[in-house]
Amino acid sequence: MLEVYHFVNPLSGDSLETEKKLASYVTTATEKIALQVIPVMTMQSVHETAVALGHPEQEQVLSQTMYRFILDVKAVQFQGKKVARRFLEAAQTAIFSGQPYTDEFVMGLVADIAADQTLFLEDRNSDLTIQAYRADHNMAAEMGVTQFPTLVVYNTNGANHASRTTDFSDESLRSLITPSASQQLNTYDGYLHNGHVTEIEEG
């Protein structure tokens, strides 16, 4: 089985496009794949997003919105990874079309994706959700993720090796998410699930 970690900036159009592209590869893959889409916020990603939007003076507001957005994704994720991915993609699509990220919008979206609103409200500001956010941030750091979007693919069938890449071209994705990927990934040093981290070679 391949474990696929897709680290994204939730307010980046590039991340949204790679989410859609990667989902199509996972859907058609012959090998079993466990996909995790992981929104992450860093000071650098906030700055780059503010500049890209043409509002570098609004970094603080953007940071608050991104943080709230990520916590909401994590809260929905307690109801399933697939429903969380639907929430993330739907929210991104709306935001990029000019929709402000308000509580009213969020609750409407939770209803639209058929998630449990009561559970979502309980989880939205819980310590467990904040801990999940911090765990994702720490995992990104341990895996050497500094750019978004970034893909880390780990092969559970052989040696504990992983490949990390920021290349989402068809050629790159085919080389990673195919039956032959199990053999290819054994040639990489990478993040080990027992907690040890070595250099991850760029794919």
Side-chain angles (χ1 to χ4, degrees), residues 52-134:
L53 293 174
H55 298 289
E57 75 283 357
Q58 295 184 8
E59 278 192 34
Q60 183 174 358
V61 174
L62 185 67
S63 174
Q64 293 171 350
T65 299
M66 191 181 297
Y67 179 67
R68 179 70 270 166
F69 188 7
I70 294 175
L71 287 185
D72 288 345
V73 173
K74 299 310 297 180
V76 174
Q77 195 173 74
F78 289 125
Q79 300 185 44
K81 292 177 182 177
K82 289 184 179 180
V83 71
R85 291 200 295 270
R86 291 201 304 271
F87 174 87
L88 173 62
E89 184 175 323
Q92 289 171 311
T93 301
I95 290 169
F96 298 151
S97 297
Q99 167 66 49
Y101 195 77
T102 64
D103 287 346
E104 183 180 2
F105 163 69
V106 170
M107 294 309 299
L109 185 55
V110 169
D112 289 344
I113 62 173
D116 188 303
Q117 291 179 305
T118 301
L119 287 177
F120 171 75
L121 287 173
E122 290 176 356
D123 292 330
R124 196 180 189 201
N125 298 301
S126 70
D127 290 341
L128 192 60
T129 297
I130 295 173
Q131 291 170 14
Y133 162 81
R134 291 173 177 167

Side-chain angles (χ1 to χ4, degrees), residues 4-183:
V4 177
Y5 302 86
H6 186 198
F7 295 92
V8 301
N9 171 352
L11 296 183
S12 161
D14 288 342
S15 286
L16 175 59
E17 290 305 310
T18 58
E19 288 164 36
K20 293 178 179 178
K21 188 172 187 178
L22 183 59
S24 68
Y25 272 87
V26 171
T27 300
T28 58
T30 57
E31 181 157 359
K32 185 176 181 181
I33 295 174
L35 171 63
Q36 292 190 52
V37 180
I38 306 170
V40 178
M41 181 182 75
T42 65
M43 292 179 62
Q44 182 64 25
S45 68
V46 171
H47 173 73
E48 291 175 350
T49 303
V51 170
L53 293 174
H55 298 289
E57 75 283 357
Q58 295 184 8
E59 278 192 34
Q60 183 174 358
V61 174
L62 185 67
S63 174
Q64 293 171 350
T65 299
M66 191 181 297
Y67 179 67
R68 179 70 270 166
F69 188 7
I70 294 175
L71 287 185
D72 288 345
V73 173
K74 299 310 297 180
V76 174
Q77 195 173 74
F78 289 125
Q79 300 185 44
K81 292 177 182 177
K82 289 184 179 180
V83 71
R85 291 200 295 270
R86 291 201 304 271
F87 174 87
L88 173 62
E89 184 175 323
Q92 289 171 311
T93 301
I95 290 169
F96 298 151
S97 297
Q99 167 66 49
Y101 195 77
T102 64
D103 287 346
E104 183 180 2
F105 163 69
V106 170
M107 294 309 299
L109 185 55
V110 169
D112 289 344
I113 62 173
D116 188 303
Q117 291 179 305
T118 301
L119 287 177
F120 171 75
L121 287 173
E122 290 176 356
D123 292 330
R124 196 180 189 201
N125 298 301
S126 70
D127 290 341
L128 192 60
T129 297
I130 295 173
Q131 291 170 14
Y133 162 81
R134 291 173 177 167
D136 284 349
H137 192 278
N138 291 339
M139 180 167 59
E142 289 174 351
M143 289 186 174
V145 175
T146 59
Q147 301 178 62
F148 306 96
T150 290
L151 191 68
V152 176
V153 181
Y154 171 80
N155 173 28
T156 65
N157 296 326
N160 292 336
H161 295 161
S163 175
R164 181 187 63 220
T165 186
T166 56
D167 180 3
F168 286 81
S169 66
D170 289 330
E171 181 180 2
S172 175
L173 292 179
R174 279 195 299 268
S175 70
L176 292 172
I177 307 176
T178 63
S180 62
S182 297
Q183 287 73 42

